[in-house]
Amino acid sequence: MVPRVGHIAFLNVLPLTYALAHGAAEGLDILRAVPAQLNDRLEAKHLDVSGVSSITYAHHADDLLILPDVCIASDGDVRSVLLVSRVPAEEIGAQRVVLSDKSASSHVLLKIILHRLYDAAPMYEVRPLTPDDPVPDGAAASMFIGDDALELYHHAPRGIYIYDLAREWKRLTGLRMVFGIWAAARSFAATHPAALHMVHERIAGAFRDWERVKDAAIGEVLADGRFTRTELTEYLGHAVVWQLDAETLEGLRCFYRYAAEDGFIRRAPAIEMASV
């Protein structure tokens, strides 16, 4: 059988994007999409393994297993998950905040931060956002993720307040923030253990190989002129953490605990790893 694998279409997983383009996709059926779309496809059992928003596991822990070793996290500033506001966060209160439709974990993260750090209870709206119109009319603030957020981080409009949500999480908890994980359907893991091992090795191997290939990989994405080599070098492997180790898992458990306490998930799930 050919494993159906979802791949996040953001620069924060460039090591895997590069690996897939240079042989790692052989024997795999790859779907490239933003996290919110991949979340839906994995939940609907249209994928066997996928990179997904970390909150997806909390909603579907009975059906999913987390792949060990790999994640998308940050220990402080991540640069690509931002609150972009016309007013200081202390003044948001009950005003309207627009959330990117590409995300899921970051929605919950923002709500936790605004509630716990800024005593805010905004009216939230989910819709598409673009860096050209970062805070739509009628809104006090908006939340961006991914490459659009990274662009705003480096080219912030005048008169706009920028809050890095990973930095805010670190200030709140002292812990790393895990935005994304790789998850496998339990049914796939049970019936195709060899295929799961192969997929995990392709994913984990891409991140292990990053130091060797990073100059070439970054070079391949510079042509559109959106980011400089320095910006991407500082972002990838520094601002973004890919190792799902004990310290990172502590941050993930705290995220689930806060999400449950604040009513965004039914309960904090036990973290169960796939056997690979």
Side-chain angles (χ1 to χ4, degrees):
M1 62 89 62
V2 177
R4 301 167 300 172
V5 178
H7 177 58
I8 297 170
F10 285 154
L11 283 170
N12 60 11
V13 291
L14 182 59
L16 183 54
T17 302
Y18 183 83
L20 292 172
H22 293 81
E26 183 178 352
L28 304 178
D29 180 7
I30 304 292
L31 172 66
R32 293 168 173 83
V34 299
Q37 295 168 327
L38 295 176
N39 300 344
D40 291 342
R41 295 299 293 268
L42 186 61
E43 292 165 16
K45 297 181 171 57
H46 295 153
L47 292 169
D48 302 310
V49 178
S50 186
V52 292
S53 301
S54 57
I55 203 68
T56 295
Y57 178 78
H59 289 304
H60 300 280
D62 291 343
D63 298 320
L64 301 175
L65 295 167
I66 295 178
L67 269 61
D69 308 321
V70 287
C71 67
I72 304 166
S74 187
D75 190 7
D77 290 28
V78 72
R79 309 181 184 187
S80 57
V81 183
L82 305 178
L83 173 68
V84 183
S85 183
R86 299 184 193 275
V87 299
E90 293 86 352
E91 298 178 14
I92 289 176
Q95 297 185 72
R96 184 177 301 278
V97 174
V98 180
L99 306 176
S100 166
D101 64 347
K102 298 178 180 179
S103 178
S105 294
S106 300
H107 292 185
V108 176
L109 173 63
L110 176 62
K111 292 173 182 178
I112 290 170
I113 286 169
L114 287 181
H115 167 62
R116 291 183 179 239
L117 284 180
Y118 297 103
D119 196 27
M123 296 179 291
Y124 290 105
E125 176 187 354
V126 179
R127 61 165 154 158
L129 291 166
T130 67
D132 294 337
D133 184 23
V135 185
D137 290 344
S142 57
M143 190 212 72
F144 280 79
I145 71 164
D147 302 354
D148 289 344
L150 190 60
E151 181 178 339
L152 285 168
Y153 177 90
H154 288 293
H155 307 284
R158 287 188 176 184
I160 293 292
Y161 296 86
I162 299 287
Y163 295 86
D164 187 307
L165 294 187
R167 181 200 313 147
E168 295 292 292
W169 174 257
K170 183 78 171 183
R171 184 161 75 91
L172 176 65
T173 67
L175 300 172
R176 292 179 174 179
M177 176 61 206
V178 182
F179 294 99
I181 58 167
W182 276 264
R186 285 179 182 263
S187 55
F188 174 74
T191 56
H192 301 284
L196 177 62
H197 173 79
M198 182 263 286
V199 172
H200 174 262
E201 183 55 30
R202 300 273 182 93
I203 295 168
F207 293 104
R208 287 197 304 267
D209 209 28
W210 175 240
E211 286 300 317
R212 184 180 67 82
V213 305
K214 68 178 181 180
D215 289 342
I218 290 173
E220 289 191 1
V221 299
L222 289 176
D224 64 7
R226 198 173 185 186
F227 305 104
T228 68
R229 181 177 289 275
T230 297
E231 288 168 351
L232 292 178
T233 300
E234 292 175 350
Y235 176 58
L236 297 163
H238 297 280
V240 180
V241 173
W242 295 308
Q243 183 63 38
L244 187 59
D245 54 17
E247 182 180 358
T248 312
L249 282 169
E250 183 182 0
L252 182 59
R253 291 188 179 95
C254 182
F255 177 54
Y256 290 153
R257 184 170 68 252
Y258 281 16
E261 290 173 358
D262 291 0
F264 303 125
I265 57 176
R266 287 184 291 111
R267 57 183 171 81
I271 293 176
E272 190 170 350
M273 298 288 185
S275 176
V276 294

